[in-house]
Amino acid sequence: MGFGRFMTETMRLFDLAGAELDRRFSPYCWRIRLALAHKNLPVETIPWRFTEKEEIAPSGQTLVPVLVDGDQWIADSWTIANYLEDKYPNSPSLFGGPVGRSLSRHYSDIADGLVRAIFPFIVLDVLQHVAEKDRDYFRASREKRANARLETVVSDRDKRLPDFRASLASLRRTLKSQPFLGGDQPLYADYAVFGPFQWARCTSPYVLLEKDDPIRHWRDRLLDCFDGLGRETPAYDA
Amino acid sequence: MGFGRFMTETMRLFDLAGAELDRRFSPYCWRIRLALAHKNLPVETIPWRFTEKEEIAPSGQTLVPVLVDGDQWIADSWTIANYLEDKYPNSPSLFGGPVGRSLSRHYSDIADGLVRAIFPFIVLDVLQHVAEKDRDYFRASREKRANARLETVVSDRDKRLPDFRASLASLRRTLKSQPFLGGDQPLYADYAVFGPFQWARCTSPYVLLEKDDPIRHWRDRLLDCFDGLGRETPAYDA
């Protein structure tokens, strides 16, 4: 160990990976990948599969993202974002202050809602990219959640697409009036809402957003951030 | 005039009124009523009916809220909120700073989306409260917007209610975790999203929110703010 124990260790992030180790597709992990980049905090990502529950057991739960900072294990994306903001106050703020933090909370919940809304469009495509050893787990857990076969879940997606796109009207209107949810520069609110769209892009060729949708242009601006961090994973031009 | 021209005039707000002059039910005007109270700015509200377009002509458009501050006529709730924030910087902030202002924009758009979502539940009830001279205008303009008779628009509302309540899941989750969208205290984000629920409460006995819905508890907390300002209008216990 020597001096090592006194040096700042690089943080580690357990990051969901697909059959290919470099396909990182969790909507929740992407929030934290971008949050860490925003705060200029280096991180070592550890590819993780759904069934590797024991790897993250010290976090006290079974889902990623899990951040390991020294001897601290932190789970849940909103909790991690708050941890980073409090632990590294001299790095660029994710929230823009206490009021911004409170106002950002709802964006996190909006993002969770988007995961639920996008799920019935892409879940069968996600299955194709899940690691072999995760497939049975993924299918069983998602079919239980949906109470239906995954093939059935996605079968009417074309019919549902116009309603889904219409449901994004408020988001679209905001992103027509300003480049990012955080204003001229992105904030955690952006990274949270970006996550579900990045999840879709990394797993499914299905075109959720029309080419000229302001939401798509905003997504692409976020893909350009931090030297194109969001493009460092296999994805579809969808 | 005398000293009068050098004194600060009380601002005036054209505020949508129903058949009863004290029934103020515009979801957009309520945002500004609460914003003015938040900033401790006295205002004289002027009851206004849909067809009194000439009264607000100096604003250059035909909708309320319209705020008159000295010789300035300002329309559009988001524009008015920004005007108040900039013109009265020493009053309590509606946004909590520049970042909060950017993050608040989407709440304004969410609120507009809620008006569209609540419309097909209550529009026929709204008609019952519209001033006599406004009724033909209201019916014709809203039926044109809906491309259907108002009776038809609301006819299947019971069937649609579960989906509407489910669509509020993200808002509900946030308001379970903190008292207001702005955190411990309400901000413009709260007033904006409150507007559509207050509109419904002032015009319709239809129970959109279940009694134990955290969104309803939040609405009621906002009704208690500013000495119960939101309760100073006839309303239903809905």
Side-chain angles (χ1 to χ4, degrees):
Chain A
M1 284 299 178
F3 290 116
R5 60 187 293 236
F6 300 108
M7 290 173 65
T8 303
E9 295 174 53
T10 299
M11 284 185 272
R12 288 177 295 148
L13 181 72
F14 287 90
D15 190 21
L16 182 65
E20 302 138 283
L21 277 182
D22 62 343
R23 190 179 301 269
R24 307 297 175 88
F25 63 93
S26 160
Y28 306 102
C29 291
W30 272 108
R31 301 180 192 183
I32 301 307
R33 294 285 298 277
L34 294 175
L36 287 160
H38 181 102
K39 289 188 84 68
N40 296 319
L41 296 168
V43 67
E44 178 197 345
T45 66
I46 303 168
W48 177 91
R49 267 69 180 259
F50 285 109
T51 47
E52 296 171 348
K53 304 295 190 192
E54 71 287 353
E55 305 275 330
I56 57 171
S59 73
Q61 52 83 65
T62 60
L63 303 170
V64 292
V66 166
L67 184 75
V68 186
D69 189 9
D71 58 0
Q72 299 237 55
W73 289 65
I74 311 114
D76 177 77
S77 56
W78 178 247
T79 304
I80 294 171
N82 280 276
Y83 170 85
L84 293 173
E85 187 77 350
D86 293 334
K87 181 78 182 287
Y88 302 97
N90 298 323
S91 292
S93 174
L94 290 168
F95 305 126
V99 167
R101 187 189 302 229
S102 295
L103 288 172
S104 295
R105 169 69 211 218
H106 187 43
Y107 288 94
S108 171
D109 293 325
I110 288 171
D112 291 354
L114 279 169
V115 173
R116 293 190 293 275
I118 292 174
F119 175 91
F121 290 93
I122 67 166
V123 64
L124 195 61
D125 300 321
V126 176
L127 178 65
Q128 309 309 316
H129 287 293
V130 161
E132 183 67 34
K133 69 174 183 175
D134 280 354
R135 293 217 175 141
D136 289 348
Y137 164 83
F138 184 84
R139 180 182 277 278
S141 60
R142 272 52 183 176
E143 292 192 342
K144 187 175 174 193
R145 185 188 298 172
N147 198 27
R149 291 269 298 168
L150 298 188
E151 287 75 3
T152 309
V153 169
V154 303
S155 61
D156 63 343
R157 63 182 180 177
D158 291 349
K159 212 183 91 199
R160 286 185 281 100
L161 186 59
D163 277 355
F164 170 74
R165 289 177 173 170
S167 77
L168 303 174
S170 301
L171 183 62
R172 188 172 294 119
R173 193 183 294 203
T174 304
L175 294 171
K176 260 187 199 171
S177 73
Q178 58 190 43
F180 295 103
L181 297 169
D184 290 333
Q185 299 295 328
L187 290 174
Y188 188 73
D190 291 275
Y191 310 142
V193 179
F194 168 81
F197 294 106
Q198 172 77 332
W199 172 50
R201 182 182 161 271
C202 294
T203 56
S204 174
Y206 197 71
V207 179
L208 283 172
L209 300 172
E210 290 181 288
K211 298 278 180 195
D212 61 351
D213 191 328
I215 300 171
R216 190 185 174 104
H217 296 319
W218 158 83
R219 184 203 70 179
D220 291 348
R221 284 193 292 277
L222 284 165
L223 286 171
D224 291 337
C225 289
F226 313 120
D227 299 323
L229 176 62
R231 299 191 198 277
E232 291 178 12
T233 179
Y236 292 92
D237 181 28
Chain B
M1 284 298 180
F3 290 114
R5 60 187 292 237
F6 300 108
M7 291 173 64
T8 303
E9 293 173 53
T10 298
M11 283 184 272
R12 288 177 295 148
L13 181 73
F14 287 90
D15 191 21
L16 183 65
E20 302 138 283
L21 277 181
D22 61 344
R23 190 179 301 267
R24 307 296 175 90
F25 63 94
S26 160
Y28 306 102
C29 291
W30 272 108
R31 301 181 191 182
I32 300 306
R33 292 286 298 275
L34 293 175
L36 287 160
H38 181 101
K39 289 190 84 71
N40 296 319
L41 296 169
V43 67
E44 178 198 345
T45 66
I46 304 169
W48 177 89
R49 268 68 180 261
F50 285 108
T51 47
E52 295 172 350
K53 304 294 190 193
E54 72 286 355
E55 305 274 329
I56 58 171
S59 73
Q61 52 83 66
T62 60
L63 303 170
V64 291
V66 166
L67 184 75
V68 186
D69 188 10
D71 57 2
Q72 300 238 55
W73 289 65
I74 309 112
D76 177 75
S77 56
W78 179 247
T79 305
I80 294 171
N82 280 277
Y83 170 85
L84 293 172
E85 187 77 350
D86 293 332
K87 181 78 182 286
Y88 302 99
N90 298 324
S91 292
S93 173
L94 291 168
F95 304 126
V99 167
R101 187 188 301 227
S102 295
L103 288 172
S104 295
R105 168 69 212 220
H106 187 43
Y107 288 94
S108 171
D109 293 324
I110 289 171
D112 291 353
L114 279 169
V115 173
R116 293 190 293 275
I118 292 174
F119 175 91
F121 289 94
I122 67 166
V123 64
L124 195 62
D125 300 321
V126 176
L127 178 66
Q128 309 308 316
H129 287 293
V130 161
E132 184 67 34
K133 68 173 183 175
D134 281 354
R135 293 216 177 143
D136 289 348
Y137 164 83
F138 184 84
R139 181 183 276 277
S141 59
R142 271 55 183 173
E143 293 192 342
K144 186 175 174 192
R145 185 187 299 174
N147 198 26
R149 291 268 299 169
L150 297 188
E151 286 76 3
T152 309
V153 169
V154 302
S155 61
D156 63 341
R157 63 183 180 178
D158 290 349
K159 212 183 92 200
R160 287 184 282 102
L161 185 59
D163 278 354
F164 170 74
R165 288 176 174 171
S167 77
L168 303 175
S170 301
L171 183 62
R172 186 173 295 118
R173 193 184 292 203
T174 304
L175 294 171
K176 261 187 197 171
S177 72
Q178 57 191 42
F180 295 102
L181 297 169
D184 290 334
Q185 299 294 328
L187 291 175
Y188 188 73
D190 290 276
Y191 310 142
V193 179
F194 167 82
F197 294 106
Q198 172 77 332
W199 172 50
R201 182 181 160 272
C202 293
T203 55
S204 174
Y206 197 71
V207 180
L208 283 173
L209 300 171
E210 289 183 287
K211 298 276 181 198
D212 62 352
D213 191 328
I215 300 170
R216 191 185 173 103
H217 296 317
W218 159 82
R219 183 203 70 179
D220 290 348
R221 284 194 292 277
L222 284 166
L223 287 171
D224 291 336
C225 288
F226 313 119
D227 300 322
L229 176 61
R231 298 190 198 278
E232 290 178 13
T233 178
Y236 292 92
D237 182 27

